[in-house]
């Protein structure tokens, strides 16, 4: 587990310049841990009813499954003020952006290769179940 203080230092107090994006359950910030590791810090919005359930489910799945196409969980932080997942940082942003927003610049071969990669994670899920 990483402390709240360490996360504040790593993300420059969750500064706007480190803001990476927003999902259904909270905001994600870029951070640099004291050993130099670059991470993505997913901070849960504790006011959302389903946030705790989502947090626990994501922790469970990412901890249980290791796959080259799944982002790695590095640590968690949990206290009264904040709950966060500390994840491997993905420098190229999210897949949705690549598939839909970048002027369609992925050719058919890249798109098929992405489909195969995504399907390989689904295959792992089936084996786990
Ligand atoms: N590991 C990561 N490395 C780099 N950027 C990330 C990482 N995880 C999330 N992000 C950025 O933060 C945004 C929000 O991510 P988050 O996982 O909270 O939601 P989502 O999966 O995009 O959407 P939803 O929560 O609705 O499924 C992403 O779209 C991406 O831009």
């Amino acid at each position: 587990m990483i402390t709240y203080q360490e996360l504040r230092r790593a993300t420059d107090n969750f500064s706007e310049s480190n803001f990476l994006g927003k999902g259904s359950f909270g905001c994600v910030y870029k951070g640099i841990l004291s050993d130099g590791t670059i991470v993505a810090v997913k901070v849960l919005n504790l006011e959302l009813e389903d946030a705790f359930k989502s947090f626990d489910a994501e922790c469970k799945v990412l901890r249980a499954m290791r796959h080259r196409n799944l982002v790695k969980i590095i640590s968690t932080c949990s206290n009264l003020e904040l709950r966060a997942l500390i994840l491997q940082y993905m420098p190229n942003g999210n897949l949705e952006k690549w598939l839909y927003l970048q002027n369609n610049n992925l050719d058919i071969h890249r798109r098929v290769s992405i489909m195969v990669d995504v399907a390989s994670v689904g295959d792992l899920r089936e084996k786990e179940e």
Side-chain angles (χ1 to χ4, degrees):
M1 274 243 250
I2 290 181
T3 64
Y4 181 38
Q5 282 69 25
E6 164 77 354
L7 278 190
R8 284 184 58 173
R9 196 208 50 74
T11 60
D12 196 14
N13 205 10
F14 304 99
S15 69
E16 215 171 296
S17 60
N18 283 321
F19 179 76
L20 291 173
K22 193 174 177 173
S24 316
F25 295 106
C27 294
V28 183
Y29 297 86
K30 184 176 177 179
I32 304 179
L33 301 183
S34 48
D35 67 359
T37 310
I38 302 178
V39 292
V41 181
K42 189 165 175 173
V43 181
L44 228 65
N45 181 347
L46 298 178
E47 285 169 13
L48 294 176
E49 217 175 276
D50 289 333
F52 288 95
K53 244 196 279 170
S54 156
F55 179 87
D56 291 342
E58 200 162 345
C59 279
K60 205 171 142 199
V61 169
L62 291 179
R63 281 220 164 100
M65 291 182 180
R66 297 276 165 182
H67 190 282
R68 68 187 168 88
N69 298 330
L70 272 183
V71 74
K72 288 177 187 52
I73 184 165
I74 293 171
S75 189
T76 56
C77 178
S78 182
N79 64 25
L80 287 177
E81 286 163 276
L82 163 139
R83 270 195 187 204
L85 286 173
I86 295 84
L87 304 167
Q88 173 189 16
Y89 172 64
M90 305 306 285
N92 292 326
N94 72 29
L95 181 59
E96 190 179 10
K97 182 185 79 180
W98 282 96
L99 291 177
Y100 303 110
L101 302 177
Q102 309 252 352
N103 304 324
N104 239 352
N105 65 356
L106 292 180
D107 65 25
I108 186 72
H109 297 105
R110 290 302 300 273
R111 286 173 186 268
V112 169
S113 158
I114 290 168
M115 278 168 61
V116 170
D117 282 346
V118 172
S120 72
V121 180
D123 186 44
L124 174 76
R125 279 184 56 180
E126 276 175 19
K127 282 177 194 151
E128 293 278 326
E129 280 166 6

